[in-house]
Amino acid sequence: MFTLVEMTDTVRIPPHLFHSKLNDAVIEELNNKFANKVVYNVGLCIALFDITKLEDSFIFPGDGASHTKVHFRYVVFRPFMDEILQGRIRSCSREGVHVSLGFFDDILIPPDALQQPSKFDESEQVWVWEYETEEGTHDLF
């Protein structure tokens, strides 16, 4: 579920952060860029774990900021396929079931991923699983 991912990025440090230590400025900029954001093929970035290497900084003509290549590790939420997660149902709609994991609220389980056969009950605003037993069909909310 949570993994430690090694990443490399060139961090732009604006002039107003030059009074700070380089390490502190890099940490601030990395958190601004990655924290609470989904990175393609990586996952949801949660927090900076550590900085493993800082390379030389450069100031380019026409830009007063310094640019530093940084190697770092980030804590990332990346569930694997078919992993079972525990969450709370926030709401149900025709689009599916909206679930919260506490730290992440934007999870939508579409109708085709629900236990089948399922139907949406308009009056209760819930998805209902219709399962067969020896006594007949029962609805499970």
Side-chain angles (χ1 to χ4, degrees), residues 24 28 37 58 71 91 123-124:
D24 294 338
E28 182 178 336
K37 297 196 175 65
F58 298 96
H71 302 263
S91 64
S123 61
E124 296 287 330

Side-chain angles (χ1 to χ4, degrees), residues 105-120:
D105 292 332
D106 295 332
I107 298 172
L108 174 66
I109 302 171
D112 59 324
L114 296 174
Q115 184 73 38
Q116 294 299 325
S118 294
K119 67 177 181 179
F120 185 68

Side-chain angles (χ1 to χ4, degrees), residues 70-132:
V70 182
H71 302 263
F72 57 96
R73 295 187 297 176
Y74 228 90
V75 177
V76 173
F77 173 69
R78 180 175 51 197
F80 55 85
M81 282 299 265
D82 297 325
E83 180 175 0
I84 297 173
L85 302 173
Q86 186 175 2
R88 294 191 183 274
I89 296 175
R90 283 187 18 225
S91 64
C92 293
S93 65
R94 281 229 166 263
E95 293 87 41
V97 179
H98 301 270
V99 178
S100 170
L101 295 178
F103 66 93
F104 189 58
D105 292 332
D106 295 332
I107 298 172
L108 174 66
I109 302 171
D112 59 324
L114 296 174
Q115 184 73 38
Q116 294 299 325
S118 294
K119 67 177 181 179
F120 185 68
D121 185 343
E122 290 285 345
S123 61
E124 296 287 330
Q125 290 292 304
V126 296
W127 281 92
V128 179
W129 174 35
E130 301 172 316
Y131 64 98
E132 295 285 333

